[in-house]
């Protein structure tokens, strides 16, 4: 097989080059785009990260493609429907980081609840007064978890350890997990109304796009905290910016934003502005949120621990080996 890995850091190469004994392997530093896909027209297998865009134009340039394996759980950067029409198998890495991402949820939440960013910055400047840094306890607060897959359940386990009450919403409730972990399923409106903190753990798809919008914020209690480690499009960030400005939302912890590949690269941002390929008001909202003092933003790094990344690399290689053997695993479909 002719295998191309995109968006590869130098230290990742050793894992991928274990396939060289049986296959032709190339490691490319930049993400896959329609503009560079033609340079790899002979690829039969590609591996991409979240910053690649595997759309119809990219697929057109790779006519021999048989397998795409994403080094992520989410796969909204891949046109799954188009892949299915072309008979291209798509795999992901679903199990690498449930505890990793859940720990990041509480990293963000503790930065907010104990005002850690302000406290650290103050002491670095020589100030040791706690005045104006009063936070709040997590114990006794109600956490609303939207989506109770592996990451959502891991988040609930940690929350229960902090002494938080937990309410959850999912279109497929796991009642056994609810009994074991001591939380209750409620409808979405009830969760929005009652929760002190809301944490999002749903995939990005047409059904979840702007799941948290202006109407959802209106239903929340005043002073709620929002945590999003899922996907940027799950939240209407223009509505979030308004809710923060109006103090409906007291604070937000965000590991994801819409248009991440655009804002990540200055050249891509300038091109999108010039060609008007993105919603400029949403791009502006991105920039506003990053600079707000009551918003903590991390660069889609919730997954990024040594252990989790090693699991991603191992799972990616295994996805390829199993596909070549005719026994594919971690296959995703357009209905997921």
């Amino acid at each position: 097989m002719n295998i191309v890995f995109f968006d590869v850091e130098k230290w990742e190469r050793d894992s991928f080059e274990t396939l060289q004994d049986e296959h032709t392997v190339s490691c490319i530093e930049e993400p896959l785009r329609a503009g560079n896909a033609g340079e790899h027209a002979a690829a039969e297998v590609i591996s991409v990260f979240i910053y690649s865009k595997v759309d119809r134009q990219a697929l057109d340039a790779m006519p021999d493609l048989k397998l795409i394996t994403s080094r992520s759980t989410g796969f909204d950067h891949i046109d799954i429907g188009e892949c299915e029409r072309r008979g291209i198998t798509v795999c992901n890495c679903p199990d690498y980081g449930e505890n990793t991402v859940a720990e990041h949820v509480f990293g963000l939440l503790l930065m907010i609840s104990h005002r850690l960013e302000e406290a650290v910055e103050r002491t670095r400047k020589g100030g040791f007064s706690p005045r104006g840094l009063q936070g709040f306890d997590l114990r006794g607060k109600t956490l609303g978890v939207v989506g109770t897959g592996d990451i959502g359940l891991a988040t609930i386990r940690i929350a229960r350890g902090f002494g938080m009450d937990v309410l959850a919403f999912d279109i497929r409730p796991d009642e056994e997990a609810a009994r074991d972990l001591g939380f209750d399923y409620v409808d979405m409106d009830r969760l929005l109304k009652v929760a002190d903190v809301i944490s999002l753990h749903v995939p990005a798809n047409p059904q979840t796009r702007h799941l948290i919008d202006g109407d959802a914020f209106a239903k929340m209690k005043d002073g709620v905290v929002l945590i999003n480690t899922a996907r940027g499009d799950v939240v209407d960030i223009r509505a979030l910016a308004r809710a923060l400005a109006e103090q409906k939302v007291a604070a937000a912890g965000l590991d994801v934003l819409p248009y991440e590949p655009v804002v990540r690269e200055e050249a891509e941002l300038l091109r999108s502005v010039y060609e008007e390929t993105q919603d400029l008001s949403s791009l502006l909202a991105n920039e506003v949120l990053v600079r707000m003092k009551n918003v903590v933003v991390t660069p889609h790094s919730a997954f990024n621990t040594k252990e989790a990344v090693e699991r991603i690399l191992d799972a990616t290689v295994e996805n390829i080996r199993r596909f070549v053997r005719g026994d594919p695993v971690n296959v995703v479909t357009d209905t997921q």
Side-chain angles (χ1 to χ4, degrees):
M1 288 281 187
N2 187 324
I3 305 172
V4 182
F5 294 88
F6 290 91
D7 211 353
V8 177
E9 297 187 29
K10 291 180 180 179
W11 57 270
E12 296 176 305
R13 290 174 178 265
D14 288 345
S15 294
F16 300 144
E17 289 172 354
T18 60
L19 295 164
Q20 280 184 333
D21 290 343
E22 301 177 40
H23 307 283
T24 300
V25 175
S26 302
C27 293
I28 311 301
E29 289 186 11
E30 65 265 17
L32 172 65
R33 292 282 189 275
N36 65 2
E39 300 171 20
H40 311 282
E44 298 169 277
V45 176
I46 63 171
S47 173
V48 297
F49 192 48
I50 56 173
Y51 299 117
S52 288
K53 186 176 182 181
V54 189
D55 55 13
R56 182 176 300 178
Q57 290 73 28
L59 295 171
D60 284 343
M62 303 175 120
D64 297 329
L65 200 57
K66 299 177 177 65
L67 172 68
I68 302 168
T69 180
S70 184
R71 302 192 301 278
S72 61
T73 299
F75 43 86
D76 51 301
H77 51 298
I78 301 171
D79 188 335
I80 302 297
E82 188 62 28
C83 289
E84 289 185 349
R85 284 189 286 275
R86 298 175 187 231
I88 300 169
T89 301
V90 180
C91 301
N92 68 342
C93 298
D95 302 321
Y96 69 88
E98 56 263 28
N99 68 289
T100 307
V101 177
E103 289 170 13
H104 196 86
V105 168
F106 281 87
L108 293 171
L109 183 51
L110 288 168
M111 286 189 73
I112 292 167
S113 67
H114 284 257
R115 305 187 63 171
L116 295 178
E117 188 173 24
E118 298 167 79
V120 169
E121 185 63 25
R122 179 177 297 182
T123 56
R124 281 178 176 162
K125 293 178 179 178
F128 281 82
S129 169
R131 188 185 300 275
L133 294 176
Q134 189 175 77
F136 59 88
D137 286 349
L138 298 184
R139 184 178 181 84
K141 299 295 189 298
T142 297
L143 175 68
V145 175
V146 181
T148 55
D150 290 340
I151 296 173
L153 291 179
T155 300
I156 290 170
R157 290 188 188 95
I158 296 173
R160 298 296 289 142
F162 274 101
M164 301 183 79
D165 299 319
V166 179
L167 300 176
F169 171 80
D170 198 293
I171 58 174
R172 290 184 289 271
D174 186 340
E175 297 294 354
E176 182 178 354
R179 289 192 298 272
D180 291 345
L181 296 177
F183 68 91
D184 295 316
Y185 281 103
V186 295
D187 62 37
M188 189 67 171
D189 283 354
R190 176 67 177 168
L191 184 149
L192 295 174
K193 181 178 180 180
V194 173
D196 300 297
V197 179
I198 296 173
S199 188
L200 306 176
H201 302 284
V202 295
N205 56 43
Q207 289 71 43
T208 62
R209 185 175 188 274
H210 290 183
L211 177 68
I212 306 300
D213 58 8
D215 290 340
F217 285 118
K219 295 172 183 176
M220 296 177 191
K221 64 165 57 176
D222 293 343
V224 69
V225 173
L226 180 70
I227 306 292
N228 186 13
T229 56
R231 281 293 188 266
D233 269 354
V234 174
V235 178
D236 180 343
I237 58 167
R238 290 174 297 180
L240 173 57
R242 286 193 296 271
L244 285 159
E246 295 168 358
Q247 299 184 327
K248 179 71 175 183
V249 176
L254 310 173
D255 186 53
V256 288
L257 290 167
Y259 311 122
E260 284 175 29
V262 175
V263 298
R264 183 173 181 245
E265 301 291 343
E266 184 177 3
E268 182 72 9
L269 176 60
L270 292 172
R271 184 191 66 78
S272 69
V273 171
Y274 177 74
E275 297 180 0
E276 297 184 355
T277 58
Q278 307 292 350
D279 180 349
L280 297 186
S281 62
S282 292
L283 286 172
L284 178 59
N286 268 358
E287 295 299 312
V288 170
L289 288 173
V290 168
R291 288 164 173 74
M292 294 182 75
K293 289 187 176 181
N294 56 341
V295 179
V296 178
V297 179
T298 51
H300 206 141
S301 59
F303 75 96
N304 196 14
T305 66
K306 179 178 183 295
E307 295 84 355
V309 171
E310 287 175 351
R311 290 192 288 268
I312 291 171
L313 301 181
D314 291 344
T316 298
V317 171
E318 183 66 9
N319 283 349
I320 294 171
R321 292 191 190 279
R322 291 284 292 270
F323 176 82
V324 171
R325 293 204 303 262
D327 181 28
V329 292
N330 301 323
V331 176
V332 300
T333 68
D334 197 27
T335 58
Q336 287 179 281

